[in-house]
Amino acid sequence: MVHDTLQVPAGGQVTLTGWVSRRRDLGSIVFIDLRDRTGIIQLVFDAEKGTPKAVLERAGQLRSEYVIAVKGTVVQRDEKVVNPKIETGHIELSVQELEILNASKTPPFYIEDGIEVDEAVRLRYRYLDLRRPEMQQMLKLRHQVARAMRRYLDEHGFLEVETPMLTRSTPEGARDYLVPSRLQPGEFYALPQSPQLFKQLLMVAGVERYYQMARCFRDEDLRADRQPEFTQFDIEQSFIPKETFQSMMEEMMVEVFRDVLGVNLATPFLRLSYQEAMERYGSDKPDIRFGLELTDLGDLVTETEFRVFRDALAAGGVVKAVRAPGCATWSRKQLDEWNQFVASYGLRGLATIALTEGGVKSSIAKFFTEDELRALASRAGAEMGDLVFIAAGPRQVVLPALGAVRSRLGADLKLAKDGFHFLWVVDFPLLEYDEEEGRYVAMHHPFTMPKWEDLPLLADNPLAVRAEAYDLVLNGFEVAGGSMRIYRREIQNQMFERLGFSPEEAYEKFGFLLDAFEYGTPPHGGIAFGFDRLVMIMGGRKSLRDCIAFPKTSSGTDLLTGAPGDVSPEQLAVLGLDLAERVRSAKSLV
C-alpha cells in the first residue's frame, strides 16, 4: 500500500499496486501519480536513474485509471520539490519494473476530490465515484464509527443478534415494502421498517442486552437525509432506568467521537422537554449551535387594535417573534420571499419590525406607536440593524413555521458555531391527532410507554399523556430516537384501543407480542441510531447519499443497476401474480 512506503527508508525497495491518477510525459522522464485507498505517491520513470528502456517505453502507454504494479526504490525528494499536499510528498519511487495489470477507458469524470459533476452521473458510475479519496474516506469513517460503537457495547455486555428480514406487515407508520411468497400464493412478507417487535421479544427471551446493525426499509417520500433502505444501530436493554440508559448512550458517543475524530464531547448532554424545545426553538430537533430563540409577545399585544394578533390570542393561539440579526435593510422583495417561505408551513404571513438608523420601519406601523414597536423589538432581543419577524396564529402552526425561519436564518447567515452539539429532547406527547384520518396516532410508535403518572389520562384526555420517549439531537438533526417500552399486556391493549384498533384487529396484527407479554416480560427500553445520518454529520457531508456505498436517488431509483425494473412473466406466474389488472387499479388511485 502507498501509505506503507512512509515506513521504508530511502534506498529501500518496495512493490506497489494501484491506479494511475495522473501522468506527465516529458519524453525521457515520465511521472505517474499512483493512487490506492491509502493515498498517492509519485512514480518516476527515468533512464538516467535506473529505469530500463523497455519499462520507460511501457510507462509512455499508461493512461488515467490503468491498473499497474511497480517495483522500485524509495527516494527522498529534494526540499525544493516536496509536495506538501500529499502525505508522501517528501518521497518518490524510482521505478525499475512495471506491469500493466489492466487498461481503462477514459472515465466520464475526473477521479479526484472536489469535482463538479451531476450527481446522476456519479451514481451511474458509482464504482468510479467511490475511487475518489474523499469517498474512500467516508467508507473508512463509516467503518470506524461502527467499530467504535460495537466495541463499546461489547465491553458493556451487549449481544449482537440478527432479526428477520422477511416478516409480517404491521401498521407502524410508513408504508411497507412487500415481498410475495411463492410457497403461500397470494400472501406477502414485509421488509422490516425497524426490528422494534423482535428486539422487544428478545427482552422477553431474557437476552437483556441486545444490539444490531439493522437494515430497515420504509416506502416513503425521499429527501437528502432519507433513503428507502437505511441502517439503524439498534440497542435494547432490560431492567435499566431511563436516565441510566441515556447516560450510557452519552458515554458511547463520547468514546466514538474521541476515538474516531479526536473530539472531546462535554457531558451530560443538555436535556429539553418537547414543550420547551418547541416554545424556544420551534422544533423538536433544535440546532443549539446558535441562539435566535423564539420570543412570546402575547402579553404586549393583548390590547392591540391589530386584529391578526388580537384574534389569534382570543382563539387560544400565540404571537411569537424571532430576531434576524443585521437584516434591517432587507428589501421588500426579500421580505416577500420569506412570506412565501412560511406559507408552505400554513402561516399566512409574517409581520416585520426593522431597527434602522433612520428610525423604526414596520409592516404593522399603522397599528402601533414607535415606542410600542421598539418594545416588541426589544422583547425579541433586537438591536440597531436587526429585523424582527412576528407570527400569529394557532400554536401548532406558528411554532414550526418560526422554527423553520430560525433554522434558515442560521444557515443563510452562517451563525452556527463549529463543533458537535448534542442534546436530548424528552417528554414527548404520547399521541397526536391526525385530522385527515380522524383518529389518534402514536408520535413515536405504538409500543412506547406512557409516563406512569399520566396513564389515568389515556382514556379521557389522551393528548395530555406524555411518553417515556427521548430523541438524541446533533446539530439540528435527530440522530437517535428511543423510549422505554410497554411491557404489560393491559397497558398495550389500552394503547391499541386509543389508536382505534378493535381487540380483534389488535390481536390479528400483534397477537404474537401480546401473547409474549403473558410470560413475565421485564421492564425494558432502547434506542435506534440513524447510523447513516450520524456518519453524514461526523463526516461534514450534506447528503446521506455520500455516506452509503450504493444509494438510491430521491425517486428511489438505483442508477447503477437500473432498479427497480421489470421481471419476466414467468417469474410473476411462479408467484401467482397478474400485474396488468393491479397496475391499472393502482393508476386509478393515483
Side-chain angles (χ1 to χ4, degrees), residues 61-76:
Q61 303 171 16
L62 298 178
R63 297 293 182 270
S64 178
E65 299 310 306
Y66 273 39
V67 186
I68 62 174
V70 295
K71 184 176 181 180
T73 304
V74 175
V75 176
Q76 191 77 25

Side-chain angles (χ1 to χ4, degrees), residues 224-240:
D225 66 338
R226 181 183 288 170
Q227 283 277 297
E229 53 180 323
F230 57 95
T231 302
Q232 269 185 197
F233 211 106
D234 210 44
I235 305 167
E236 199 82 4
Q237 185 172 354
S238 298
F239 305 115
I240 186 169

Side-chain angles (χ1 to χ4, degrees), residues 181-396:
S181 170
R182 177 182 62 83
L183 298 178
Q184 287 81 33
E187 298 187 352
F188 292 81
Y189 299 104
L191 300 180
Q193 294 184 29
S194 79
Q196 181 63 45
L197 299 180
F198 287 104
K199 66 183 179 183
Q200 289 192 248
L201 292 173
L202 286 170
M203 297 301 101
V204 181
V207 171
E208 191 175 322
R209 296 188 181 202
Y210 140 96
Y211 79 92
Q212 179 185 190
M213 287 281 287
R215 297 293 288 169
C216 303
F217 307 84
R218 294 178 187 174
D219 185 8
E220 54 190 353
D221 294 336
L222 307 179
R223 58 193 185 206
D225 66 338
R226 181 183 288 170
Q227 283 277 297
E229 53 180 323
F230 57 95
T231 302
Q232 269 185 197
F233 211 106
D234 210 44
I235 305 167
E236 199 82 4
Q237 185 172 354
S238 298
F239 305 115
I240 186 169
K242 178 182 65 176
E243 292 74 16
T244 305
F245 183 75
Q246 287 177 283
S247 295
M248 286 185 67
M249 296 302 100
E250 290 183 10
E251 187 179 88
M252 181 173 71
M253 286 295 97
V254 167
E255 290 198 10
V256 168
F257 275 73
R258 184 190 62 230
D259 295 351
V260 176
L261 298 182
V263 170
N264 293 314
L265 301 176
T267 57
F269 297 162
L270 175 68
R271 283 166 167 75
L272 292 178
S273 70
Y274 170 83
Q275 182 177 355
E276 185 179 3
M278 293 301 298
E279 292 289 340
R280 291 173 58 184
Y281 300 101
S283 172
D284 60 2
K285 45 182 180 295
D287 190 340
I288 57 173
R289 292 176 298 168
F290 61 97
L292 304 191
E293 294 187 19
L294 311 190
T295 309
D296 196 306
L297 306 180
D299 62 307
L300 299 181
V301 295
T302 52
E303 305 298 327
T304 181
E305 294 180 5
F306 186 42
R307 287 191 58 186
V308 174
F309 290 177
R310 189 177 70 240
D311 292 351
L313 294 173
V318 294
V319 179
K320 288 268 193 174
V322 65
R323 178 175 68 97
C327 300
T329 58
W330 275 357
S331 67
R332 169 53 55 191
K333 181 179 179 181
Q334 287 174 294
L335 297 179
D336 286 343
E337 197 278 328
W338 281 91
N339 281 321
Q340 294 172 11
F341 174 73
V342 297
S344 63
Y345 292 87
L347 200 62
R348 296 177 62 183
L350 293 165
T352 58
I353 302 173
L355 301 183
T356 72
E357 295 291 346
V360 179
K361 298 180 179 179
S362 174
S363 61
I364 52 175
K366 67 179 181 179
F367 300 102
F368 296 88
T369 67
E370 182 170 327
D371 286 344
E372 289 172 332
L373 291 173
R374 288 188 181 277
L376 293 174
S378 177
R379 171 69 66 85
E383 300 175 349
M384 182 60 64
D386 289 350
L387 176 73
V388 177
F389 284 122
I390 306 174
R395 179 174 259 100
Q396 67 271 23

Side-chain angles (χ1 to χ4, degrees), residues 37-39 113 129-145 260-261 535 538-539 541 546-547:
R37 71 179 180 87
T38 66
D113 291 343
D129 190 42
L130 289 175
R131 286 185 192 174
R132 298 189 301 115
E134 63 182 347
M135 297 304 292
Q136 290 283 317
Q137 183 58 38
M138 287 307 302
L139 294 179
K140 181 179 179 181
L141 175 66
R142 187 182 177 97
H143 159 74
Q144 291 173 326
V145 174
V260 176
L261 298 182
V535 172
M538 293 180 70
R541 311 299 292 196
D546 287 341
C547 312

Side-chain angles (χ1 to χ4, degrees), residues 84 275 351 395 406 426 472:
Q275 182 177 355
R395 179 174 259 100
R406 175 186 178 271
V426 300
L472 187 58

